[in-house]
Amino acid sequence: MLSTDYTPGTPRWIDLGTPDTAATAAFYTSLFGWTTEGAGPDTGGYGFFSNDGKRVGGFGPLMEAGASSAWTVYFGTDDAEATAKSVEQVGGTVRVPASDVMSFGRMAQFSDGQGARFAVWQPLQTKGFDVVNVPVSLSWTELHTADAAAAKTFYSNVLGWSLADQDMGGFTYTVASMGSEETSFGGVMGHMPGETVTYWVPYFEVADADATAAKVAELGGRVLHGPDTLPGVGRMAACADPHGAVFSIIKGDTPS
């Protein structure tokens, strides 16, 4: 389960790179009821998404040539430089070297061995999220990859994950944690039919998956598949915003 308590190796933040920050802000504030605020004049147009005054993620303009709009998951680290070395040692790429984000923390951005983009956050003043696991906040992260075995080796070496395979009746889903079921925060799975790109997907908890999926389409986004119900997990749908950034929504099952 995601937590706002700082634990190395677990998701600490998400942000969205977009070619149109104003349109992107309008889409997500309309969809989730988030509010936005700028991060300051020296941040290159970066801003924050908040829910009831609590920060749930960030957004900003695309900074790399040829980049496509996408959500990035940031995982915690105690040493961004050491993590960068580990990434390179196991076949990944350092896209943005470790650097200070003012006095808030240090960050670095990478691609894993299959090309999935992710980042790390070394906290100083700012630990990361203000809230998770409640409606319209992050509740899960998921890697879609062409080579699940290679991905599991990569992330367990770089971020120290414990990994547990689960038979989902037709495919294997791997749950990532820091050593116990209570610390699970994400999953690894092979590509779904039609997928060719390896990427990370954030899941946002919602009160009603069907109503939210319908609203995605109304606002100019796309519902890629679903909503579908997975017993014991919840009702979910995969979506894309108007600029193509992929995310999922889920109404999680409440244990009886």
Side-chain angles (χ1 to χ4, degrees):
M1 187 178 200
L2 290 175
S3 172
T4 55
D5 294 333
Y6 173 70
T7 302
T10 66
R12 307 313 318 150
W13 189 245
I14 52 171
D15 64 18
L16 175 62
T18 174
D20 188 333
T21 54
T24 291
F27 174 81
Y28 286 99
T29 55
S30 296
L31 180 65
F32 291 138
W34 290 343
T35 57
T36 62
E37 60 178 314
D42 299 323
T43 60
Y46 195 85
F48 299 110
F49 288 122
S50 295
N51 176 36
D52 288 335
K54 297 179 179 180
R55 288 176 180 169
V56 295
F59 67 102
L62 293 170
M63 304 301 289
E64 297 179 65
S68 300
S69 187
W71 284 95
T72 298
V73 182
Y74 290 69
F75 299 95
T77 181
D78 290 334
D79 188 328
E81 282 85 358
T83 303
K85 290 179 182 178
S86 295
V87 165
E88 292 180 317
Q89 287 169 355
V90 292
T93 302
V94 177
R95 292 179 16 255
V96 179
S99 60
D100 289 332
V101 182
M102 294 181 285
S103 59
F104 302 123
R106 289 178 65 74
M107 60 81 72
Q109 296 188 352
F110 312 116
S111 295
D112 68 20
Q114 311 304 314
R117 296 186 171 195
F118 70 105
V120 293
W121 179 252
Q122 180 183 338
L124 296 173
Q125 289 184 353
T126 301
K127 301 293 186 184
F129 304 107
D130 288 335
V131 62
V132 290
N133 298 325
V134 301
V136 299
S137 70
L138 188 72
S139 62
W140 193 250
T141 59
E142 187 173 84
L143 176 66
H144 292 215
T145 176
D147 191 338
K152 289 187 283 186
T153 297
F154 178 91
Y155 288 99
S156 60
N157 277 296
V158 171
L159 296 174
W161 293 353
S162 296
L163 298 161
D165 290 343
Q166 296 183 355
D167 184 354
M168 303 302 291
F171 69 97
T172 299
Y173 191 87
T174 301
V175 175
S177 74
M178 300 312 296
S180 66
E181 184 176 349
E182 292 76 19
T183 62
S184 62
F185 54 81
V188 178
M189 64 180 290
H191 277 158
M192 301 180 69
E195 288 186 328
T196 58
V197 178
T198 295
Y199 62 102
W200 278 96
V201 183
Y203 276 68
F204 298 106
E205 182 73 22
V206 295
D208 185 325
D210 293 78
T212 305
K215 196 167 186 179
V216 166
E218 290 170 8
L219 293 170
R222 291 180 294 142
V223 179
L224 304 177
H225 62 81
D228 300 306
T229 298
L230 185 61
V233 176
R235 188 159 176 80
M236 64 194 78
C239 306
D241 71 19
H243 292 103
V246 177
F247 64 97
S248 288
I249 56 173
I250 182 169
K251 171 63 172 75
D253 282 352
T254 302
S256 56

